[in-house]
Amino acid sequence: MHRLSGSKVSKLLVTQLTKKLPRWLHVAASHDGSRGICSTDQSTVLAFPPGPPPLDDKLPGWEDRACVSNLDIRRNIFCNRSLNMRSIKAVGFDMDYTLSQYKPETFEKLAHDLTVEKLVSVFGYPEVIASWHFDWRYMVRGLTIDKQRGNILKIDRHKYVKVAYHGFQELSREERRAIYSHTNVRHDFDEPDFAMIDTLFSLAEAHLFMQLVELQDKEPHLLPGGKTRPDLYRDVRAAVDLCHRDGSLKQAVAKDPAKYIHEDKRLLGILDMYRAAGKKLFVATNSLWDYTHVVMNFLLSGRVGTQKNEDWLEYFDVVITGCGKPAFFNSRKPMFEVHTSSGMLRNTDSGNPMVPIGEQDLPSPDFSSTAQPMAEAGQAAVYQGGFFMDLHRMLGVESGSQVLYVGDHIYGDILRSKKTLGWRTMLVVPELDTELDILQRHQGAMDELRSLREARDAVDDQIQRMQWGLGPCPPPRTPHPSTPTVSPQETVVDDIRTRDVIIVDRHGSSSTSGCSRSAEPLARSRWSDTTASDSSTSSSGSYSQSEEEDAELEQYQEALYNLEQQRDAIRQQHKQLLHQHHQRFHAVWGQLLKTGYQNSRFAHQVERFACLYTSHVSNLAFYSPDKSYRARMDHMAHEESPSLNPFVQ
């Protein structure tokens, strides 16, 4: 070991600080006792995700001068890619979870219960699963299911697994890293071995799959013989599809739409506004005509049962049901015209009418048929299936960049339409409503976490400088009884202007620890000590050392030990605060669009493929139909210094 010599080591630690970090409210999570989420805020639990904004004077439309100031952040439309709405000729909407916002506490529970019923009656699963409780708050969008291992994962934008559960048991950091990080080939987390929960429709099936995984682990004899975990997932998916095919899910919603669907009083005004601005409007949904007719009647006129009529079609130019997204964007399929009163289909040639035998021939080249018209004058024609080129022709658009499509499914609605057609896109993320509310109420949380990270970096730098001064292999030591340490009541903070460290107690008084020494002489001393020790060894065969130097070295080592204690305290405090911050959003999965400090995989997809994103389609009411949305300025890591980029806060 090369020992320090030379001047007194009475100033070995660089210490300072001018600011004290603010404390923010720490709220302990409480478990709901039924394998549901732990929540710190009951208001966010009971209304997650919340319904569309109400129609009242507190939320005026964009044309009202009151809307110019203090627009609620939850009503914002966020822009990833600049979009001038004057260049948009047609605006299209998905229906389910876009125009129609379902109530998860009733709709997802219905889907879960019906799926369980199918698993028992059709797929031979034990009747005990019929008594299982479903917590609609447990799962969130953006998670990934590992079908092979029975795990559910939250992944960051770099495809690192940050949270993992097997069934409902959390995997430790070591376990998840051994499975997903310490491998020769990195996982892509794509089909067929993985499935992403990329729509709110998938929450119930993901929860049910986790329940079956736990049953298989604990009581495998209860399951049908030979079932693997991928078999369990396939059975769940098949049961869900059966619920849609046999009409059980649709019939329950049609019987009482208000029980399962949020009312949205702003939709009519939005549609009128866009039509008045000269935009053509269309609906493109995977739901068939019978269900679409039920939902749209409820949303736009409040009519149910025998009161339904076709007045809602007057708000649109084209309605395409059963379009089969995302295949609609890249695979040509036959298009049928729907006879709305009977539900019968008529063949078309890419949307053009085809005259059946017995009817008169088409009288003119404009394809106007003498056959009985399928749609009333002034109403949208309704089709089933087809291809995006058919839709473009009907709308009179020349390129995909003239179409804005609003949907909720990151893959089926947004990614494929953007990558394949160049459509402009807006993603509806209802969960964003709650997340923005929490972020606004705890604005200081991220500032404090950022300060702690900077303080930890500063302490790490000091430790490494001191270790460098001691040599390549500093000896381990135990602290002297008089060595100051950091108690649980103390917080280490940092001033990024001087990169010094100080101990600040909870009452605000400060004290320095150890001594100080500038970093530059400290680094140079390592090399001067090496030369001195080599010369001493060659002349006498041993180190020449005074008692004063021994005392200085002991003091130096004590200061280094104290810095290491401070670093550990900062790290632990940062870990706890970050965990508490995420628990404000969801005590199992944390903030929807974050994993720790990184954007989640779901957030990465939103940023890449959604030109715009917002919490509800109704937020369009707060913006002009001709608005020019402007994206924020991009910046890289080296541009984040405020001295270089005044736009970075």
Side-chain angles (χ1 to χ4, degrees):
M1 179 186 74
H2 306 300
R3 302 201 173 188
L4 297 173
S5 61
S7 60
K8 297 275 186 181
V9 197
S10 59
K11 296 182 179 180
L12 290 170
L13 268 180
V14 183
T15 62
Q16 55 85 83
L17 200 45
T18 59
K19 65 179 181 180
K20 180 181 178 182
L21 294 177
R23 290 281 181 181
W24 43 281
L25 184 62
H26 297 170
V27 187
S30 59
H31 199 278
D32 75 342
S34 57
R35 284 204 174 106
I37 68 167
C38 305
S39 175
T40 61
D41 190 335
Q42 288 299 315
S43 65
T44 63
V45 171
L46 297 177
F48 179 81
L55 183 62
D56 57 37
D57 295 336
K58 296 180 181 179
L59 291 171
W62 74 272
E63 69 280 2
D64 192 315
R65 292 184 179 181
C67 186
V68 176
S69 61
N70 299 324
L71 179 63
D72 189 329
I73 190 174
R74 295 172 296 175
R75 309 282 74 85
N76 282 7
I77 295 176
F78 302 95
C79 181
N80 291 321
R81 182 187 173 196
S82 295
L83 170 60
N84 187 345
M85 287 297 295
R86 289 185 182 274
S87 67
I88 298 298
K89 292 186 176 180
V91 180
F93 302 90
D94 180 34
M95 185 181 73
D96 297 308
Y97 275 116
T98 301
L99 291 173
S100 171
Q101 287 294 319
Y102 292 95
K103 301 176 181 179
E105 65 273 23
T106 54
F107 184 81
E108 294 302 326
K109 185 178 186 305
L110 173 66
H112 179 274
D113 293 347
L114 291 175
T115 302
V116 168
E117 181 182 312
K118 297 295 187 294
L119 286 173
V120 174
S121 61
V122 178
F123 295 88
Y125 280 73
E127 292 188 3
V128 66
I129 71 174
S131 63
W132 282 351
H133 172 71
F134 169 59
D135 188 342
W136 53 271
R137 301 164 298 179
Y138 186 88
M139 293 298 175
V140 298
R141 190 157 38 158
L143 302 178
T144 300
I145 295 174
D146 184 343
K147 304 176 193 176
Q148 298 289 337
R149 300 176 180 88
N151 298 340
I152 192 160
L153 320 170
K154 189 171 186 184
I155 303 171
D156 72 11
R157 67 188 181 98
H158 301 294
K159 295 188 177 181
Y160 285 98
V161 177
K162 295 300 183 70
V163 183
Y165 276 73
H166 178 76
F168 295 95
Q169 306 302 317
E170 185 175 12
L171 300 182
S172 67
R173 182 173 184 267
E174 293 73 22
E175 289 173 323
R176 71 172 186 267
R177 294 188 69 181
I179 298 172
Y180 300 107
S181 297
H182 298 162
T183 57
N184 292 327
V185 179
R186 287 192 62 192
H187 296 285
D188 286 330
F189 301 105
D190 294 325
E191 294 284 359
D193 293 333
F194 297 88
M196 187 173 179
I197 305 175
D198 48 13
T199 172
L200 293 172
F201 272 125
S202 301
L203 301 184
E205 64 190 61
H207 191 278
L208 182 54
F209 177 61
M210 292 296 103
Q211 290 176 311
L212 290 174
V213 167
E214 286 215 330
L215 181 64
Q216 186 183 53
D217 288 344
K218 296 175 181 178
E219 299 179 277
H221 61 280
L222 294 179
L223 293 172
K227 291 286 185 182
T228 64
R229 289 185 181 121
D231 291 335
L232 299 180
Y233 183 79
R234 279 192 292 270
D235 287 349
V236 171
R237 279 295 318 147
V240 170
D241 291 341
L242 185 56
C243 292
H244 288 277
R245 289 200 307 271
D246 69 4
S248 54
L249 189 65
K250 295 185 295 184
Q251 289 171 8
V253 175
K255 185 177 180 180
D256 188 3
K259 180 179 179 180
Y260 301 101
I261 303 174
H262 287 290
E263 292 186 17
D264 191 344
K265 300 295 187 181
R266 293 186 182 271
L267 284 181
L268 284 178
I270 292 171
L271 298 177
D272 280 334
M273 177 178 68
Y274 275 87
R275 288 178 67 85
K279 315 293 186 187
K280 291 192 175 182
L281 303 182
F282 68 94
V283 174
T285 175
N286 286 356
S287 294
L288 298 178
W289 164 251
D290 58 345
Y291 186 67
T292 302
H293 191 43
V294 167
V295 173
M296 295 303 293
N297 259 279
F298 173 74
L299 286 174
L300 299 184
S301 66
R303 295 187 176 92
V304 298
T306 57
Q307 298 176 342
K308 297 191 304 294
N309 61 32
E310 298 179 5
D311 289 352
W312 67 270
L313 290 172
E314 297 175 0
Y315 292 94
F316 299 96
D317 295 279
V318 180
V319 173
I320 300 182
T321 63
C323 62
K325 297 170 296 181
F328 179 80
F329 303 123
N330 52 28
S331 300
R332 183 176 290 278
K333 297 180 298 181
M335 174 174 275
F336 302 95
E337 190 172 6
V338 178
H339 190 273
T340 54
S341 60
S342 66
M344 295 181 63
L345 303 180
R346 174 178 287 177
N347 291 320
T348 71
D349 180 11
S350 298
N352 296 313
M354 298 177 65
V355 179
I357 294 175
E359 299 285 350
Q360 298 179 22
D361 291 336
L362 295 175
S364 65
D366 65 359
F367 297 105
S368 57
S369 175
T370 58
Q372 183 67 29
M374 302 290 272
E376 297 294 333
Q379 291 185 350
V382 181
Y383 299 93
Q384 179 174 309
F387 188 41
F388 81 91
M389 292 184 66
D390 304 329
L391 177 61
H392 280 196
R393 182 184 54 78
M394 295 175 189
L395 296 172
V397 300
E398 298 173 355
S399 68
S401 61
Q402 296 176 326
V403 178
L404 172 66
Y405 187 62
V406 185
D408 73 292
H409 196 300
I410 189 65
Y411 185 78
D413 293 330
I414 304 300
L415 187 152
R416 276 296 143 215
S417 64
K418 177 72 173 292
K419 290 185 68 174
T420 306
L421 311 183
W423 281 7
R424 309 310 300 274
T425 55
M426 185 170 90
L427 182 70
V428 175
V429 187
E431 307 96 312
L432 196 61
D433 194 305
T434 299
E435 299 229 341
L436 288 169
D437 180 55
I438 296 173
L439 284 172
Q440 193 171 41
R441 288 189 285 111
H442 300 283
Q443 294 182 27
M446 293 308 296
D447 291 336
E448 183 171 2
L449 287 165
R450 191 178 299 109
S451 296
L452 285 172
R453 276 174 64 102
E454 293 170 351
R456 186 180 66 184
D457 289 344
V459 175
D460 274 335
D461 289 345
Q462 297 290 355
I463 290 173
Q464 290 162 12
R465 291 188 185 101
M466 296 183 71
Q467 289 174 337
W468 183 264
L470 286 174
C473 300
R477 66 179 296 280
T478 56
H480 189 275
S482 62
T483 301
T485 59
V486 179
S487 70
Q489 291 77 29
E490 294 171 325
T491 302
V492 183
V493 292
D494 166 61
D495 187 331
I496 60 175
R497 294 171 297 179
T498 57
R499 289 294 184 189
D500 294 333
V501 180
I502 195 168
I503 300 178
V504 181
D505 64 27
R506 61 168 52 189
H507 302 292
S509 60
S510 61
S511 62
T512 59
S513 171
C515 311
S516 88
R517 178 189 179 95
S518 65
E520 206 172 318
L522 177 62
R524 288 200 299 267
S525 69
R526 183 179 190 272
W527 302 107
S528 62
D529 293 340
T530 302
T531 304
S533 63
D534 289 345
S535 174
S536 174
T537 302
S538 61
S539 61
S540 62
S542 61
Y543 291 100
S544 175
Q545 180 177 303
S546 66
E547 292 183 0
E548 183 179 2
E549 289 174 327
D550 283 337
E552 290 175 354
L553 177 63
E554 181 68 20
Q555 187 179 16
Y556 189 94
Q557 290 177 323
E558 288 178 359
L560 176 60
Y561 178 80
N562 190 59
L563 263 185
E564 291 170 341
Q565 293 292 101
Q566 294 180 40
R567 178 193 59 193
D568 293 343
I570 296 175
R571 182 179 296 155
Q572 184 62 27
Q573 185 184 16
H574 178 271
K575 180 180 178 181
Q576 292 175 353
L577 293 182
L578 185 60
H579 178 68
Q580 291 172 0
H581 173 69
H582 276 285
Q583 280 197 322
R584 288 191 168 98
F585 300 90
H586 193 290
V588 178
W589 306 111
Q591 194 174 348
L592 177 71
L593 300 176
K594 293 288 183 186
T595 52
Y597 272 93
Q598 295 286 331
N599 283 350
S600 66
R601 187 187 186 191
F602 179 61
H604 184 54
Q605 292 176 326
V606 172
E607 192 171 37
R608 286 183 65 194
F609 301 113
C611 301
L612 309 173
Y613 65 100
T614 190
S615 59
H616 300 284
V617 69
S618 296
N619 291 342
L620 288 168
F622 307 110
Y623 294 85
S624 164
D626 291 325
K627 179 177 176 59
S628 182
Y629 295 93
R630 301 192 183 278
R632 70 192 189 284
M633 180 179 291
D634 289 341
H635 62 272
M636 297 183 66
H638 71 278
E639 300 173 303
E640 288 188 351
S641 171
S643 62
L644 293 177
N645 190 345
F647 296 97
V648 178
Q649 299 297 322

